[in-house]
Amino acid sequence: MKMDVIMSFMCERGFFQEIEVSILFEEIILILGENGEIKHANERACTVYGYSYDEITKMKFEDLRIKRMPYGYEIHKRKDSSTLEVRVYAQKIYDFNVVVIRESEKTLLHSLVNDLPFGVLIINREERCVYANASTQKMLGWTKEELMGKSIHDLLYLGELRISKGISAFQAAFSTEETYNQEWTFVCKNGSPFHALVFSVPISEFGETSGTLILFQSNDENNSISHLRFVAYHDELTRLPNRSLLRDRIEQAIRAAKRSDEKIAILFLDLDQFKRVNDSFGHRAGDALLHLVAQRLKTKVRDSDTVARPGGDEFIIVLRAVHNARDAARVAEKIIQSLSRPFVVGKHKVVISTSIGISLYPDDGANVDELIHKADMAMYEAKASGQGMYAFYNISADERMQSELRLENEIRAALERNEFKLYYQPIIDLHTNEVTSAEALIRWHHPKRGLILPDEFIPVAEESLLINHIGKWTLEAACRQIHAWKENGASMSVSVNVTAAQFQHEEFVSTLRKTLHKFKIKPRDLILELTERVVMREDEEIKTTINELDSVGIHFSLDDFGTGYSNLKYLSVLPIDILKIDRSFVEHMIDSPKDKRIVEAIVDLGKHLKLKTIAEGVESQEQVEILKHLGCNAAQGYYFSPPLKAEEFCHEYVKH
């Protein structure tokens, strides 16, 4: 059967109804066999469905059809899995079923509307979005999937949610056939306002209003002003209110609380392990984590509450209309639970916790500064109780903060008065029982309180950035001592702990080189002890610094191995010389088979990678015997010697 014969027959029978013969060959035409197999397809059919002629003629018509609809409309599937709405005309001619397929006018209209240069929204009777064109998505930043089903109330700016003229116009559209031309303020996905000139008109079906068609375009002048205002009062990274807007929100909340005789709560949040994430994965990962935290926090409070980021890894939440302390505690508990779930940052799964301090109006203060200050005090109290905790403000929290501030000032004075001293703990070769090196450990000889150990003052020094000054002093003091021993004909290499903040300081390498040159120290006499969180960072500058110092002969020791992020990749790419087994494993390996196996695994890893292993915190002969049996190279701890003053160490262990 020839195609032209079939076409002539179809035209004679009026098959095409309203389809003009002049556009006949612009339609999709399929000729089907008795069982629906496609015997022939015109060029238009191949183009629209995306199949070659050979491919489509091996298919059945049912392979193209997804769904039948009333009045001859159907949903069909293309080769690339995209869909199209079509209208199907079919008639049997001789032994063939001839099918003419027209792309639905709805499909063509959709394509036209989607490409319009202004926004188009269709809202149903339930006040939810059922259509949004490409311009809407571009202007507001939402994807089509995010917009579908979203309430119109969620698309209008928060401040206008209840009183917007746009809302009034929208609601009126269901009860009248009038159109509306007004100014609305939409909310973009990033939280910024989008001022628009809006034309809305009701949609009718069968004589009843079924929805609203909204057409809108940018009100450029208002948006420029709005953008500047938004930038001035919001945090650039998280798009949350900044400190300035936060103060205004708290002042508003206080005024409202006075009128209604209710309380407000200020929640001061600090992320417990954020510094560790920054040190391990870099600042870009830290920024990404802050953004994710902000998004998660917003889901745990009401629209009337405020989540703000005043700076760093701190967030402040303002809870309005709080009846009692228990209301605030419930929110704090929800937040702690939510933030304890892992975050996916790039290729990494990151687990953090948060410490929350809570102050209440009017109980703890009558103004913004008082409430924030006391919530901050309470946060430190929560942090002191352990990670992932919350605490309400009390006088003891204030006292603790005052104590830390006094300690910070005393540390500054101690640096000026040279009150810090280095003690040296010997590191013993387990096979020869000889001292191979020493670890320099800082101590503070306080004029009134006596000897203060690092656990008490180092955390405060890290918080205040005084750690860089302490680190610089420690390196210089250790090099001075190595030089003094050499002057007396002795030789001893010394390991010095270097914090993440110190190692990342831009002048660290140059300062170290100057110190080595000043005291005529050979680089191999100095061992830098780094923690896993420093070397784990995916930061080229860190790798460059380590490789640069290794190239001049400085050795590196990995401190507290096994207690940080356990990614062993860095052991193969960085010049690490020593693995130090953390004292927590050594302490329990006699009674805990699991800890013993961990120690054994670290020792075996060191053997395979040709790294020296040193066990920390050895306190008994039994521990020494186990370490020898496992093949550990060296050890240090009170079993051999406590940390000693330089002159005592020299007398006991340094060979002249």
Side-chain angles (χ1 to χ4, degrees):
M1 180 68 66
K2 293 184 178 180
M3 277 292 297
D4 56 352
V5 176
I6 295 176
M7 298 306 168
S8 299
F9 185 88
M10 292 161 65
C11 293
E12 290 170 7
R13 297 294 180 89
F15 178 75
F16 295 111
Q17 299 176 11
E18 298 176 0
I19 303 175
E20 296 180 10
V21 176
S22 62
I23 61 168
L24 177 62
F25 289 95
E26 295 180 10
E27 308 300 334
I28 300 167
I29 299 178
L30 300 175
I31 299 178
L32 310 181
E34 291 185 359
N35 297 316
E37 64 274 18
I38 300 173
K39 296 291 188 179
H40 176 79
N42 69 345
E43 185 176 346
R44 179 64 178 163
C46 296
T47 300
V48 171
Y49 287 102
Y51 293 100
S52 68
Y53 182 82
D54 289 339
E55 288 174 327
I56 201 168
T57 52
K58 292 176 183 177
M59 300 170 65
K60 289 188 174 183
F61 184 66
E62 288 300 318
D63 296 333
L64 301 176
R65 178 188 286 149
I66 295 177
K67 181 183 179 182
R68 291 178 185 269
M69 297 189 299
Y71 312 114
Y73 286 102
E74 297 183 359
I75 302 295
H76 283 199
K77 178 177 66 177
R78 298 185 179 95
K79 184 177 180 179
D80 64 3
S81 297
S82 63
T83 60
L84 70 159
E85 185 176 310
V86 298
R87 192 166 189 179
V88 178
Y89 304 83
Q91 185 167 326
K92 191 172 181 68
I93 303 176
Y94 300 120
D95 296 327
F96 296 92
N97 290 307
V98 179
V99 177
V100 176
I101 300 171
R102 290 192 73 175
E103 291 182 76
S104 166
E105 292 179 3
K106 292 181 182 179
T107 302
L108 297 172
L109 180 61
H110 174 276
S111 177
L112 174 64
V113 172
N114 193 60
D115 294 336
L116 288 173
F118 49 82
V120 179
L121 284 168
I122 296 177
I123 308 298
N124 65 13
R125 286 193 67 86
E126 286 71 42
E127 302 185 359
R128 295 190 177 277
C129 177
V130 294
Y131 176 80
N133 73 340
S135 292
T136 298
Q137 298 165 45
K138 183 177 180 181
M139 286 189 281
L140 303 185
W142 301 94
T143 65
K144 181 179 178 181
E145 291 73 20
E146 291 168 333
L147 286 167
M148 291 304 96
K150 186 176 284 292
S151 169
I152 184 65
H153 298 276
D154 294 333
L155 292 176
L156 290 180
Y157 201 58
L158 183 64
E160 303 185 0
L161 198 58
R162 296 284 179 258
I163 60 173
S164 167
K165 292 181 180 178
I167 287 285
S168 301
F170 174 75
Q171 292 169 340
F174 284 120
S175 57
T176 180
E177 293 184 359
E178 296 181 19
T179 60
Y180 292 85
N181 191 355
Q182 297 181 341
E183 292 185 12
W184 291 12
T185 305
F186 289 97
V187 60
C188 297
K189 184 177 179 180
N190 64 13
S192 62
F194 182 89
H195 297 286
L197 299 173
V198 177
F199 177 83
S200 62
V201 62
I203 300 171
S204 297
E205 286 185 317
F206 308 110
E208 292 186 8
T209 301
S210 61
T212 302
L213 173 68
I214 298 171
L215 310 178
F216 67 94
Q217 63 183 10
S218 171
N219 187 343
D220 291 331
E221 182 178 351
N222 279 346
N223 278 323
S224 297
I225 297 170
S226 177
H227 176 71
L228 291 174
R229 186 181 295 119
F230 186 85
V231 169
Y233 292 107
H234 290 79
D235 170 50
E236 183 179 1
L237 176 63
T238 63
R239 318 297 287 182
L240 295 176
N242 61 14
R243 187 177 293 275
S244 297
L245 184 54
L246 171 66
R247 292 183 64 86
D248 182 64
R249 294 279 177 87
I250 296 175
E251 287 170 355
Q252 289 182 33
I254 290 174
R255 287 195 293 269
K258 285 179 180 178
R259 290 193 299 270
S260 59
D261 197 27
E262 291 180 315
K263 298 178 184 293
I264 67 170
I266 307 298
L267 276 60
F268 198 115
L269 284 69
D270 183 85
L271 304 184
D272 294 324
Q273 291 93 6
F274 182 73
K275 186 174 184 296
R276 182 176 178 180
V277 173
N278 254 351
D279 291 343
S280 299
F281 304 128
H283 290 286
R284 188 171 296 178
D287 288 348
L289 177 61
L290 289 172
H291 180 76
L292 292 172
V293 168
Q295 298 306 308
R296 201 173 284 187
L297 287 176
K298 287 193 291 185
T299 67
K300 299 303 170 187
V301 298
R302 301 162 298 181
D303 289 340
S304 59
D305 300 326
T306 296
V307 180
R309 180 185 175 229
D313 61 342
E314 296 174 342
F315 295 84
I316 292 178
I317 296 175
V318 184
L319 302 179
R320 303 182 69 157
V322 174
H323 295 101
N324 51 50
R326 187 60 204 151
D327 287 349
R330 274 193 287 267
V331 176
E333 288 165 358
K334 285 196 301 182
I335 290 171
I336 289 170
Q337 184 178 9
S338 176
L339 297 190
S340 68
R341 300 198 312 272
F343 291 87
V344 178
V345 180
K347 299 177 183 178
H348 307 288
K349 186 175 285 188
V350 176
V351 178
I352 61 169
S353 61
T354 184
S355 298
I356 304 177
I358 307 171
S359 66
L360 297 172
Y361 170 87
D363 309 54
D364 300 321
N367 59 57
V368 175
D369 292 328
E370 252 189 309
L371 291 169
I372 291 178
H373 171 71
K374 291 183 176 178
D376 190 11
M377 298 300 100
M379 183 273 292
Y380 279 99
E381 189 75 9
K383 195 177 281 286
S385 302
Q387 296 178 348
M389 305 290 284
Y390 70 88
F392 285 88
Y393 169 77
N394 57 57
I395 296 175
S396 65
D398 213 343
E399 290 174 347
R400 179 188 294 273
M401 187 61 180
Q402 293 299 326
S403 175
E404 290 185 356
L405 287 174
R406 283 195 298 272
L407 185 60
E408 182 181 325
N409 290 328
E410 288 178 343
I411 291 171
R412 287 192 175 90
L415 284 165
E416 294 174 3
R417 294 195 292 256
N418 200 29
E419 292 173 1
F420 292 109
K421 304 294 179 186
L422 285 187
Y423 282 52
Y424 298 86
Q425 187 171 46
I427 297 173
I428 311 296
D429 187 304
L430 290 176
H431 303 290
T432 65
N433 291 323
E434 293 183 352
V435 176
T436 60
S437 59
E439 180 178 359
L441 299 165
I442 192 169
R443 299 291 186 264
W444 180 5
H445 286 273
H446 194 282
K448 295 180 179 178
R449 298 168 56 191
L451 189 66
I452 302 177
L453 297 179
D455 289 348
E456 185 173 346
F457 64 86
I458 289 297
V460 175
E462 288 182 328
E463 286 290 330
S464 62
L465 298 181
L466 285 170
I467 194 66
N468 288 325
H469 299 288
I470 292 176
K472 183 179 179 181
W473 177 89
T474 302
L475 271 175
E476 185 158 326
C479 289
R480 182 184 295 107
Q481 188 58 61
I482 294 171
H483 173 75
W485 285 334
K486 283 186 176 293
E487 287 289 293
N488 292 320
S491 178
M492 178 68 62
S493 60
V494 174
S495 62
V496 177
N497 289 279
V498 180
T499 66
Q502 184 185 359
F503 195 73
Q504 293 162 37
H505 196 278
E506 60 184 0
E507 296 181 359
F508 176 74
V509 174
S510 61
T511 301
L512 180 57
R513 285 178 178 273
K514 290 175 183 176
T515 304
L516 292 174
H517 179 74
K518 176 181 178 181
F519 294 104
K520 301 176 183 178
I521 302 298
K522 294 180 180 178
R524 67 171 180 267
D525 291 330
L526 187 65
I527 303 167
L528 299 183
E529 288 200 6
L530 306 175
T531 60
E532 283 185 274
R533 69 181 185 182
V534 177
V535 298
M536 268 287 292
R537 284 195 57 174
E538 294 184 357
D539 189 325
E540 287 303 318
E541 289 186 11
I542 295 289
K543 295 175 184 176
T544 300
T545 301
I546 292 175
N547 287 319
E548 182 181 350
L549 294 175
D550 173 71
S551 67
V552 300
I554 290 177
H555 289 190
F556 287 93
S557 171
L558 199 55
D559 198 17
D560 303 333
F561 184 73
T563 60
Y565 288 101
S566 298
N567 182 342
L568 301 181
K569 179 183 176 182
Y570 56 79
L571 292 180
S572 65
V573 298
L574 295 176
I576 304 297
D577 304 287
I578 301 166
L579 297 181
K580 299 195 78 172
I581 305 169
D582 188 67
R583 65 179 64 248
S584 61
F585 301 129
V586 175
E587 180 183 357
H588 300 293
M589 67 179 181
I590 295 174
D591 302 319
S592 170
K594 197 174 285 186
D595 282 335
K596 182 179 178 182
R597 285 194 292 271
I598 291 173
V599 173
E600 183 177 11
I602 295 172
V603 170
D604 287 342
L605 180 65
K607 289 177 183 176
H608 288 299
L609 296 178
K610 297 182 179 179
L611 304 176
K612 184 178 180 180
T613 51
I614 299 175
E616 297 180 293
V618 176
E619 296 182 354
S620 70
Q621 178 64 36
E622 190 175 359
Q623 290 173 337
V624 171
E625 294 304 322
I626 292 173
L627 291 168
K628 282 183 177 180
H629 176 72
L630 295 177
C632 184
N633 300 112
Q636 65 184 98
Y638 275 73
Y639 174 76
F640 302 105
S641 171
L644 302 171
K645 293 179 181 179
E647 55 273 18
E648 294 172 341
F649 183 89
C650 182
H651 177 74
E652 291 287 337
Y653 298 108
V654 178
K655 294 180 179 179
H656 297 275

